Amino acid sequence: MTEKKTKSFVLRVDSDTMDAIEAWAADEFRSTNGQLQWIITEALRKAHRLPKNKKSSSST
């Protein structure tokens, strides 16, 4: 099995937005980081901006 390469970066989010993301993550049984990754992946998928070989998964 191949490992996914990840990159880290700092993201500044206002407290109301972060509270909403944390609540959404809890509702979906995901970590906050996992929820942010899912949100970004879904936005890229909907905009048809994922690489051709990237398979999107609906649940994490």
Side-chain angles (χ1 to χ4, degrees):
M1 179 163 54
T2 60
E3 263 186 62
K4 277 187 175 179
K5 292 182 182 179
T6 62
K7 293 185 179 183
S8 298
F9 67 98
V10 176
L11 175 65
R12 290 179 182 87
V13 179
D14 67 78
S15 62
D16 289 340
T17 300
M18 193 63 188
D19 290 345
I21 292 168
E22 289 170 340
W24 190 7
D27 291 346
E28 300 284 329
F29 302 105
R30 291 189 180 107
S31 66
T32 302
N33 187 70
Q35 188 69 18
L36 287 166
Q37 288 179 316
W38 180 83
I39 291 167
I40 292 166
T41 300
E42 282 299 295
L44 290 169
R45 183 186 63 78
K46 287 178 182 177
H48 304 286
R49 294 200 173 256
L50 284 176
K52 298 280 185 211
N53 60 356
K54 172 79 174 174
K55 299 216 175 171
S56 97
S57 60
S58 302
S59 60
T60 307

